[in-house]
Amino acid sequence: MCLLAPVVFIIGLVFARQRIKATGVSERKHINYFHLFPMFVVGFLAMALLKTLGLLPDLTVHVAKGVLNAGDHSLSLAGLAEQISKLCITISMAGVGLETKFAAMRQTGLKPFVASLVAVVVVAVLILG
């Protein structure tokens, strides 16, 4: 995960330079480097920094008698952020799956499917291996 920001930046930089070349602009335009980073990458880096520095505390919430389960309840902000991120990834994967058009995949052919399958298997082996 530590390579996420540099890889996103490099891909954005390459794309921006190709776009400038493709437009055929004679004068050299300046690339806005701030727009090369999607905001989720900035948020990811901020949360990683907060967790690394230990700035996401564990909270204890005291619940009064008569409301739900009375007593003290521990709440880890890091654990809560992890659960929210899992929910967001699940929702985004469902969105990708719901937008999949199998007819278009059939027209594209077998080679891209096999290439993506090999990539998924390689990543799985590297992560689980």
Side-chain angles (χ1 to χ4, degrees):
M1 284 294 178
C2 64
L3 290 177
L4 177 66
V7 168
V8 168
F9 179 75
I10 290 169
I11 289 172
L13 187 62
V14 168
F15 177 74
R17 287 186 178 174
Q18 286 178 349
R19 193 168 171 197
I20 287 174
K21 288 179 185 177
T23 57
V25 177
S26 60
E27 66 208 37
R28 186 84 174 152
K29 280 191 160 185
H30 294 286
I31 297 173
N32 188 348
Y33 295 102
F34 181 72
H35 290 298
L36 294 179
F37 279 107
M39 289 309 294
F40 80 90
V41 175
V42 175
F44 175 82
L45 292 173
M47 290 301 287
L49 181 65
L50 288 174
K51 186 170 182 177
T52 300
L53 296 176
L55 297 176
L56 292 176
D58 291 334
L59 303 175
T60 301
V61 179
H62 179 72
V63 179
K65 203 174 198 184
V67 179
L68 299 175
N69 293 331
D72 293 336
H73 301 281
S74 295
L75 175 69
S76 168
L77 289 182
L80 180 63
E82 183 179 343
Q83 293 301 318
I84 291 171
S85 74
K86 287 179 182 179
L87 177 66
C88 290
I89 287 174
T90 303
I91 291 170
S92 67
M93 292 314 234
V96 168
L98 291 172
E99 286 293 318
T100 301
K101 298 190 178 26
F102 293 105
M105 287 176 61
R106 199 174 19 237
Q107 288 176 349
T108 305
L110 193 58
K111 286 183 182 180
F113 176 74
V114 171
S116 63
L117 181 65
V118 168
V120 167
V121 169
V122 168
V123 169
V125 167
L126 290 174
I127 290 173
L128 300 174

